[in-house]
Amino acid sequence: MDDLKKDFKQERHEDYAVELIEITKKFPGVLANDRVTVKIKKGEVHAIVGENGAGKSTLMNQLYGLYRPDSGEIRIFGQKKVFNGPRDAIKAGIGMVHQHFMLVDTLTVAENVVLGNEPVKGLNFDLKKARQEVRELSEKYGLYVDVDAKIEDIPVGMQQRVEIIKTLYRGASIIILDEPTAVLTPQEVEELFVIMRNLQKSGKTLLFISHKLNEVMEISDRITVMRGGKVTGELITKDTNEREIARAMVGRDVVLKLDKAPHKPKEVVFEVKDLWVKDNRHLDAVRGVSLQVRKGEVVGIAGVAGNGQSELVEAITGLRKVEKGEIIFEGKNVTNKHPRILREMGMTHIAEDRLKHALIKPFPAYYNVVLGRHYKRPFANGAFLNHKEIKRYTTELMEEFDVRPRIIEHLGGNFSGGNQQKLVVGREIKAGPKFMVVAQPTRGLDVGAIEFIHRQILKMREQDLGILLISMELEEIFSLSDRILVMYEGQIMGEVKPEETTIEEVGLMMAGKRLEEIRGGRNEENN
Amino acid sequence: MKKIIESIAVPVISVVIALLISALIILAIGKNPIEAYGKLIHGAFGSQQAIIDTLIKTTPLILTGLAVGFGFRAGVFNIGAEGQMAMGALMAAVFASNFGGLPPAVAIPLTMLIGMLAGAGWAAIAGFLKAKTGAHEVVTTIMLNWTTTYIASFVITGPLATGSGTPKSPEISTSAQLPILMRVGAMELSAGIIISIVAAIFMYVFLSKTTTGYEIKAVGFNPYAAEYGGISVAKNIVLAMAISGALAGLAGVTELMGVHHRFLGELSGGKGFDGISIALIGQNNPIGIIFAALLIGALRTGSNEMQFMGVSKYIVIIVQAIVIFLVAADRIVKAIYARKKVKA
Amino acid sequence: MRILSAILSIFINPQFYKIALTAATPLIFASLGGVFSEITGVVNIALEGIILMGAFTSVVFTYFTGNVWIGVLMAIVSGILLALLHAWGSIKWAGNQVVLGTAIILLSQGLTGFLMEPIFGQPGQTNFVGKIDEITIPGLVDVPFIGQIIGEISPFVYIAFGCVFFGWWLIYKTKLGLRMRSVGENPEAADTLGVNVHAIRYFGVIMSGVFASLAGAYLSVGEIGQFKELMSGGRGFIGLAAMIIGKWNPIGAMFASLFFGIFGAFSNQLQSLQEITVASNVKSLFDTIPFILTIIVVAGFVGKSRPPAADGVPYEK
């Protein structure tokens, strides 16, 4: 192991905005934080980096008062603090912008900002004053929001700004941003960085939690790296690079790009024509999408969450009604057909939310593994299940896909996230499909599991499967896809090949610019 | 073995706590709970006649327990067992009074079938509404319960009225009556008990061995994942409610064919609601349900004798209510159990 | 033709509207109770049982003290106690709220039935113990038509409407109400801002107990002055249906309750029309109407009106 610790000059408590000293936190079965010490200077942008499961979120939740440390000390501006809940942390000047926004959909922006600290007039809630105060903050810090809009009606970028205003309303001088860029386009990320620099200039201290190394390199002053609950690196940003950070994050040299065989697609196996789909609120989520997938190719759909990808996937896999348009599988029209028919024809689906959609937690592994084919031979004879064959198959699958623990009776909900996903991936692949829909396959997984699943996808591609990949991780899209489509507000902004485009170009499409505009505009610049 | 103990710990402890609390209530009205419970046990098991009486009372309870328990396995809460039981008995009574010309080998299965279909159909209404519109089955089945009460009242005071006194339907033909297994004094134990045990076996086999059982369980645990896996959630909700209703209807029809031989207002008499506590005590497992039904059947039989010392039969409902509460909030009992384990 | 004009004559009879109001009154209380509980995220089907217990308790204490209003007060106490039991099981122990509600309904039926003999010496129903008389509002009672409806009517009707407006003000105009709504939609978000999710939910459930017990008190000492077994008669569930139609809004629930009241009054008046002769047992079929109506309404409205997002889901960190 190669711990990297640089020497910091001895400094006094008062120079630090936050000192987390020897913080230890244990949950049943896992030591989430193991004597973690992190010191954050006043007025700096400090990044805390690590994979999923490294312990960053747990650490921040203790700083915000949602959990109490089992042992260790927290000092804010030199003063020892014990937080019994978020109110205490808020009083100490700490604010948190959560990864999954903590907003009440049916209330307005102003109501969300003041909730818990509402201005009052007599016995009544003073909505007028709330709106005024939020508007003032919005203008002061350049965070544009519509104070009377309901959260469910505003775009994700504005929702994030509301989260930031929430912290400023409560007088935060230390702001924690937990994976803030996961839901933003590359351009919106730049806008966020501008906001962050402004906040820094007005004296705030910022904690930036992320696993995206390029962003960390761009915005932070210093970096703390965590792995397996421990601190494995303390770095000064201008003196380090992405490889060094990655090595401290993972503990070994990381393969950043897998080998991919050249693109040799065969005939079209799956097609979508001018598809229109509504979301849960009866608004158009997919607006006239057309695409094709051939055997032996991976078609990647990039896009920020909330632009219709989920609804597109659900429509394709028979879980949501198609309002207009056609879905064609191996030449046959399968629009609005039930998932059973699609599965029988050879389509499988690795779902975006595995706990909600793909796995039945109280079922043992051997029941989960046959879901979708449970009524067919060899798993069933007529009306009765063939338990012997089901169990044999499960043992085989768990071996092939390295699912641990190798206990077929283990309940689905008791496996770790990575192993649950391996079960699901194994089930969908071993069903021998002709076409697979793969949605956010590696969300929340550690590097080892991510590598494994990427290898499986490329293997399927070599075996002439058609694969439709939907992901919000641009790196994943770039490294796996043969062709990339970008979705924005329910429409395809353009189609490119990964070797013929740039992150910047894809980012512009994710933000709403069509390919022709981008390339047309560039041509004009060159003339 | 440990697993079995762990799974029965919650219901058993819940029953014990319920009996203790009820003992306090009995004390509060100035009666001696030990004497009361003594009469209860004697009334249920104290003589051959008592035991037969208990078994007679247990028969429909096994079936309503299976009905509610089956529903729970499928993720639906069938409070409507009460109305489905009455509807099954009512429909069967309407037809079975005319089966005089048929041999028992035909009349009995036919009557059972009518009762089961009536119960299934009545429950399927709620199932269909839930599948199609999301209407909560608790509200719809309770509304259907009330509707059944009034429909039944209309039928037996009008078109089917017989004789004077309590409203009742005509007697069903003897060929449609269940054979008697045992007779002690005035108590006659019919073949209904065998039917209910067979039904329990059926439920066990169906849920653990068949593909439809797998699908119903999947829908009960996670309808999203079930749909994703190609299972029709709508079809299985309706099917589960229908099977549940059929079991409740069978309870009604065995009471009709084995005990009363005609439809009366009190035929269902709360047995559908008893099914709820029975399913919960039995943890929705057929074997557990048989034991739980026996417990409630014993309580109901024994409480008749307890009445003579001034402790109302309603105490049995109170016991059941407390048990349902503790099983639904099972963490209470689990916390007590865990603390006892640590001390041990 | 005669039948048609007879039916129309129902609507010009002020008695019809008065009956509609009094029939709606317990539903207004019940649906308001449902709103208070569910808007904070706790499903409370125990309302039926709390209504029954309220009806019983008010009769018991009127019987013992001779004072009807003490009876009503104690009914509220009983409602708070039963609601606390439901809240305790649902919130602290995160139990299945629907099953817990059923347990409370059964407990209520069991206790009221059990205590009939020891207290009143007879099962089934009590004798007359005392009733809250209608109040006459001078001036109002002389107004033509309207005066015959609301000029001389049980004070409970006025109390019910008062509660609705109180509920509306509390939920939409105060900071407590803002917190209640947030806790029912996204308890985690409220928690991260320091709002005490559990305390707010206890409040919502307890208030539902207060209102439901008032419904019960009205049914017994407000209308007939005695208690009869199972006299809650499904009103707790109809109240929940009114809550759904009313989209979990006190005013909406009030209008929905009035709708049910009107329907009930219409069915009632129809039966007493001389022009329509029906056998006495067909009357039973008329009695099914409110229940079938509830089914239709619940099935038709459920998809269209959205409950609070966290309704029925226990909150745990």
Side-chain angles (χ1 to χ4, degrees):
Chain A
M1 202 166 77
D2 197 17
D3 278 61
L4 297 166
K5 293 194 201 289
K6 313 269 181 167
D7 241 319
F8 295 128
K9 286 198 291 243
Q10 277 295 53
E11 286 166 15
R12 303 161 303 163
H13 282 303
E14 291 75 54
D15 290 333
Y16 290 113
V18 177
E19 290 168 277
L20 298 159
I21 304 169
E22 300 273 305
I23 299 287
T24 302
K25 181 72 184 168
K26 198 170 193 287
F27 292 116
V30 59
L31 183 56
N33 289 147
D34 186 0
R35 300 175 65 210
V36 171
T37 298
V38 182
K39 299 193 191 207
I40 296 156
K41 288 198 216 160
K42 266 194 246 186
E44 75 172 348
V45 176
H46 192 110
I48 301 192
V49 170
E51 303 192 82
N52 286 303
K56 337 183 272 294
S57 287
T58 307
L59 190 66
M60 290 302 105
N61 283 334
Q62 288 169 89
L63 182 55
Y64 191 60
L66 286 168
Y67 300 145
R68 283 195 56 177
D70 295 331
S71 68
E73 197 179 277
I74 299 179
R75 281 177 182 266
I76 307 294
F77 297 117
Q79 292 200 326
K80 185 163 176 223
K81 295 277 182 197
V82 172
F83 297 139
N84 288 316
R87 278 204 186 274
D88 296 335
I90 292 172
K91 235 189 286 179
I94 302 173
M96 183 143 159
V97 176
H98 305 262
Q99 180 180 3
H100 304 291
F101 299 149
M102 294 288 167
L103 296 172
V104 183
D105 283 343
T106 51
L107 299 180
T108 66
V109 166
E111 289 169 338
N112 266 280
V113 171
V114 304
L115 179 64
N117 287 77
E118 306 88 341
V120 287
K121 199 163 140 191
L123 285 176
N124 289 350
F125 161 54
D126 194 345
L127 179 60
K128 196 161 153 213
K129 184 144 179 256
R131 294 168 71 240
Q132 186 193 354
E133 292 192 18
V134 173
R135 217 179 273 133
E136 280 169 14
L137 280 172
S138 163
E139 275 156 35
K140 177 170 173 196
Y141 290 97
L143 295 158
Y144 169 64
V145 291
D146 176 359
V147 298
D148 295 314
K150 286 195 188 166
I151 298 294
E152 58 192 358
D153 294 326
I154 63 177
V156 160
M158 190 182 290
Q159 289 179 357
Q160 189 172 67
R161 294 195 285 279
V162 174
E163 283 278 288
I164 298 177
I165 293 181
K166 270 165 69 174
T167 67
L168 298 168
Y169 176 75
R170 286 160 180 76
S173 38
I174 300 162
I175 302 180
I176 308 170
L177 296 116
D178 190 358
E179 304 273 6
T181 60
V183 294
L184 303 177
T185 67
Q187 283 76 19
E188 284 173 330
V189 171
E190 290 305 317
E191 282 164 21
L192 175 66
F193 286 170
V194 168
I195 293 173
M196 283 170 71
R197 286 192 195 95
N198 282 339
L199 289 169
Q200 189 180 17
K201 262 189 230 136
S202 54
K204 311 287 182 198
T205 305
L206 301 175
L207 269 77
F208 182 69
I209 318 303
S210 181
H211 65 281
K212 299 204 184 167
L213 304 184
N214 56 327
E215 293 172 3
V216 164
M217 289 297 297
E218 190 181 331
I219 192 65
S220 67
D221 300 316
R222 295 195 306 155
I223 304 169
T224 298
V225 188
M226 285 181 70
R227 180 173 88 244
K230 297 190 176 58
V231 172
T232 53
E234 290 165 356
L235 308 165
I236 300 179
T237 309
K238 59 176 168 42
D239 296 337
T240 185
N241 60 52
E242 286 188 39
R243 266 195 71 210
E244 206 179 6
I245 307 175
R247 214 177 324 128
M249 259 174 68
V250 183
R252 54 182 168 87
D253 271 315
V254 183
V255 175
L256 289 172
K257 208 148 187 263
L258 287 171
D259 283 324
K260 204 166 91 180
H263 186 205
K264 282 202 286 265
K266 307 221 171 63
E267 65 272 23
V268 172
V269 65
F270 178 82
E271 197 176 344
V272 160
K273 284 188 186 162
D274 196 33
L275 208 68
W276 284 77
V277 181
K278 288 194 198 285
D279 67 15
N280 289 338
R281 296 167 59 211
H282 301 290
L283 303 168
D284 289 319
V286 178
R287 297 158 53 212
V289 166
S290 301
L291 58 88
Q292 289 182 334
V293 179
R294 293 168 184 277
K295 286 191 161 160
E297 82 170 340
V298 175
V299 174
I301 298 188
V304 165
N307 280 292
Q309 301 95 312
S310 302
E311 288 83 1
L312 177 65
V313 167
E314 285 171 356
I316 290 175
T317 52
L319 293 169
R320 189 178 281 269
K321 184 162 162 245
V322 169
E323 308 286 337
K324 266 191 287 191
E326 293 183 313
I327 302 176
I328 299 173
F329 184 30
E330 288 208 313
K332 302 195 191 68
N333 188 331
V334 294
T335 318
N336 282 325
K337 294 254 188 282
H338 193 265
R340 173 154 299 188
I341 298 182
L342 300 172
R343 281 183 179 274
E344 298 231 337
M345 289 178 68
M347 184 193 301
T348 64
H349 170 200
I350 294 178
E352 166 175 6
D353 185 342
R354 62 181 160 272
L355 283 181
K356 183 169 169 194
H357 279 119
L359 211 63
I360 299 181
K361 290 202 289 193
F363 266 2
Y366 63 84
Y367 268 173
N368 270 297
V369 153
V370 295
L371 178 67
R373 292 190 294 150
H374 51 278
Y375 59 98
K376 298 170 78 139
R377 289 174 176 254
F379 304 126
N381 286 322
F384 287 88
L385 295 171
N386 184 340
H387 280 94
K388 193 159 151 225
E389 178 58 29
I390 292 175
K391 291 181 176 177
R392 188 206 63 78
Y393 179 80
T394 306
T395 312
E396 191 181 282
L397 186 149
M398 287 175 88
E399 188 65 45
E400 203 179 311
F401 286 85
D402 191 31
V403 180
R404 301 169 198 207
R406 292 259 208 286
I407 305 172
I408 60 174
E409 292 87 2
H410 210 58
L411 298 184
N414 292 342
F415 286 96
S416 73
N419 284 300
Q420 284 172 343
Q421 193 69 329
K422 283 193 244 174
L423 262 178
V424 171
V425 168
R427 172 183 74 207
E428 301 299 306
I429 288 180
K430 239 170 125 66
K434 303 179 185 146
F435 171 63
M436 255 172 71
V437 179
V438 180
Q440 320 293 355
T442 56
R443 180 154 67 183
L445 302 185
D446 61 78
V447 158
I450 294 177
E451 230 179 298
F452 179 88
I453 288 177
H454 283 185
R455 274 190 217 282
Q456 290 293 331
I457 293 177
L458 289 177
K459 195 166 131 197
M460 295 297 108
R461 171 180 173 270
E462 264 161 63
Q463 291 174 3
D464 283 346
L465 243 76
I467 297 170
L468 184 63
L469 170 71
I470 293 89
S471 175
M472 292 188 286
E473 297 281 344
L474 273 184
E475 278 187 33
E476 184 169 59
I477 293 274
F478 267 84
S479 71
L480 294 178
S481 314
D482 297 305
R483 290 186 291 129
I484 300 175
L485 274 61
V486 182
M487 224 169 137
Y488 175 77
E489 290 196 346
Q491 298 182 313
I492 303 286
M493 294 288 114
E495 180 186 316
V496 288
K497 293 210 165 93
E499 58 270 16
E500 293 169 0
T501 185
T502 62
I503 298 256
E504 195 212 332
E505 192 173 62
V506 172
L508 282 170
M509 286 194 276
M510 283 163 75
K513 282 223 167 337
R514 292 187 182 274
L515 187 60
E516 312 82 70
E517 286 175 59
I518 303 170
R519 290 196 173 165
R522 218 182 286 142
N523 282 338
E524 278 170 23
E525 279 173 24
N526 290 337
N527 285 349
Chain B
M1 190 60 210
K2 183 164 176 260
K3 264 183 85 180
I4 297 183
I5 294 186
E6 292 221 344
S7 64
I8 67 171
V10 167
V12 166
I13 297 179
S14 304
V15 171
V16 170
I17 295 178
L19 289 170
L20 285 172
I21 297 180
S22 303
L24 291 174
I25 296 178
I26 295 175
L27 210 56
I29 61 163
K31 307 283 178 193
N32 182 341
I34 300 185
E35 191 188 333
Y37 285 152
K39 293 227 186 294
L40 195 75
I41 297 174
H42 186 259
F45 299 116
S47 65
Q48 219 187 9
Q49 186 157 321
I51 295 179
I52 299 290
D53 196 5
T54 299
L55 287 176
I56 293 175
K57 292 232 168 34
T58 303
T59 303
L61 295 179
I62 294 178
L63 288 165
T64 57
L66 288 174
V68 179
F70 188 88
F72 275 135
R73 294 294 285 271
V76 292
F77 188 1
N78 184 8
I79 300 194
E82 187 78 14
Q84 291 142 25
M85 180 179 175
M87 192 55 92
L90 184 67
M91 288 294 125
V94 166
F95 288 93
S97 47
N98 301 318
F99 283 167
L102 298 169
V106 173
I108 290 181
L110 190 57
T111 313
M112 278 170 58
L113 189 64
I114 295 174
M116 287 169 72
L117 284 175
W122 203 233
I125 296 175
F128 176 75
L129 287 176
K130 179 178 171 99
K132 196 95 199 292
T133 71
H136 202 295
E137 69 276 15
V138 167
V139 177
T140 49
T141 52
I142 291 187
M143 294 295 108
L144 286 171
N145 283 348
W146 283 96
T147 307
T148 314
T149 309
Y150 289 115
I151 291 180
S153 166
F154 163 72
V155 169
I156 60 178
T157 56
L160 236 54
T162 310
S164 56
T166 334
K168 54 188 181 290
S169 76
E171 189 165 345
I172 59 177
S173 333
T174 32
S175 55
Q177 297 180 11
L178 287 174
I180 305 295
L181 293 180
M182 251 174 104
R183 189 173 283 128
V184 178
M187 295 291 160
E188 298 178 337
L189 178 66
S190 76
I193 188 87
I194 299 187
I195 295 178
S196 53
I197 304 230
V198 168
I201 297 175
F202 159 79
M203 177 174 158
Y204 172 75
V205 169
F206 184 83
L207 280 176
S208 54
K209 306 262 182 223
T210 66
T211 56
T212 314
Y214 173 97
E215 295 195 351
I216 286 184
K217 284 189 292 188
V219 168
F221 282 136
N222 186 342
Y224 300 107
E227 189 94 42
Y228 153 97
I231 299 174
S232 166
V233 172
K235 179 183 120 192
N236 279 293
I237 287 181
V238 177
L239 184 64
M241 282 300 287
I243 294 179
S244 178
L247 286 164
L250 187 59
V253 99
T254 50
E255 281 295 276
L256 176 76
M257 291 170 26
V259 179
H260 300 283
H261 301 151
R262 60 175 87 239
F263 183 87
L264 325 148
E266 37 157 283
L267 187 138
S268 54
K271 301 189 181 76
F273 291 115
D274 289 343
I276 302 174
S277 63
I278 292 171
L280 290 173
I281 297 175
Q283 301 276 289
N284 304 328
N285 176 299
I287 303 189
I289 286 174
I290 293 179
F291 281 109
L294 191 59
L295 173 69
I296 302 292
L299 284 176
R300 285 225 175 258
T301 313
S303 67
N304 280 323
E305 190 163 318
M306 205 172 60
Q307 282 217 119
F308 291 122
M309 64 174 275
V311 176
S312 161
K313 284 198 293 184
Y314 274 98
I315 199 76
V316 175
I317 296 191
I318 296 175
V319 167
Q320 290 188 64
I322 299 175
V323 169
I324 295 177
F325 186 90
L326 289 172
V327 174
D330 61 2
R331 293 190 196 180
I332 302 176
V333 170
K334 284 186 179 154
I336 300 176
Y337 182 68
R339 216 173 293 153
K340 287 224 165 78
K341 264 175 94 174
V342 168
K343 281 202 189 136
Chain C
M1 196 54 221
R2 262 183 57 215
I3 293 184
L4 191 60
S5 67
I7 292 177
L8 287 175
S9 74
I10 293 177
F11 293 102
I12 54 173
N13 180 357
Q15 275 308 303
F16 165 71
Y17 296 98
K18 188 168 170 187
I19 293 177
L21 271 181
T22 52
T25 297
L27 299 178
I28 292 177
F29 280 118
S31 60
L32 184 63
V35 169
F36 262 78
S37 180
E38 297 217 358
I39 216 166
T40 65
V42 180
V43 167
N44 188 356
I45 68 164
L47 295 180
E48 177 79 9
I50 300 178
I51 295 176
L52 187 66
M53 188 59 87
F56 183 72
T57 312
S58 53
V59 165
V60 168
F61 283 91
T62 303
Y63 177 68
F64 282 128
T65 66
N67 184 331
V68 186
W69 289 104
I70 293 191
V72 174
L73 195 64
M74 291 311 290
I76 296 179
V77 170
S78 77
I80 293 177
L81 288 175
L82 275 181
L84 256 176
L85 188 58
H86 182 64
W88 186 65
S90 302
I91 299 173
K92 178 156 165 87
W93 296 102
N96 181 322
Q97 293 168 12
V98 173
V99 183
L100 284 173
T102 309
I104 302 218
I105 295 177
L106 269 178
L107 183 66
S108 189
Q109 290 173 347
L111 273 174
T112 55
F114 183 77
L115 292 171
M116 283 291 283
E117 278 229 38
I119 297 183
F120 296 104
Q122 68 199 43
Q125 61 184 58
T126 69
N127 295 328
F128 181 84
V129 296
K131 173 173 168 308
I132 295 180
D133 294 318
E134 294 184 341
I135 54 172
T136 314
I137 300 179
L140 187 57
V141 72
D142 299 314
V143 175
F145 201 75
I146 309 265
Q148 288 174 284
I149 303 174
I150 58 174
E152 194 171 3
I153 199 168
S154 169
F156 270 89
V157 178
Y158 282 101
I159 295 176
F161 282 99
C163 285
V164 168
F165 289 109
F166 165 73
W168 175 82
W169 168 77
L170 186 76
I171 292 175
Y172 291 104
K173 293 289 173 193
T174 65
K175 72 180 201 190
L176 176 57
L178 184 70
R179 295 183 189 192
M180 285 170 72
R181 287 180 283 146
S182 67
V183 153
E185 283 289 330
N186 190 342
E188 211 189 343
D191 192 16
T192 56
L193 293 173
V195 172
N196 189 334
V197 174
H198 284 185
I200 302 248
R201 286 184 165 181
Y202 267 100
F203 174 74
V205 178
I206 289 175
M207 287 307 287
S208 77
V210 168
F211 293 124
S213 60
L214 280 171
Y218 174 66
L219 284 176
S220 60
V221 300
E223 276 198 319
I224 58 175
Q226 58 179 147
F227 175 80
K228 293 186 190 173
E229 249 180 44
L230 296 179
M231 74 185 299
S232 49
R235 287 181 185 78
F237 295 99
I238 301 179
L240 287 175
M243 172 191 77
I244 295 174
I245 304 174
K247 300 195 189 222
W248 286 268
N249 178 314
I251 310 260
M254 176 189 81
F255 280 117
S257 303
L258 286 169
F259 164 73
F260 276 106
I262 289 175
F263 220 97
F266 181 70
S267 152
N268 173 286
Q269 293 288 76
L270 204 63
Q271 289 175 48
S272 52
L273 277 186
Q274 289 163 320
E275 287 81 357
I276 299 178
T277 44
V278 288
S280 59
N281 71 330
V282 177
K283 181 183 183 309
S284 293
L285 288 182
F286 272 98
D287 287 329
T288 66
I289 292 180
F291 304 107
I292 298 182
L293 182 65
T294 304
I295 294 177
I296 295 175
V297 150
V298 163
F301 270 82
V302 165
K304 312 219 167 80
S305 73
R306 208 198 91 187
D311 202 13
V313 180
Y315 179 60
E316 303 170 272
K317 295 199 204 259

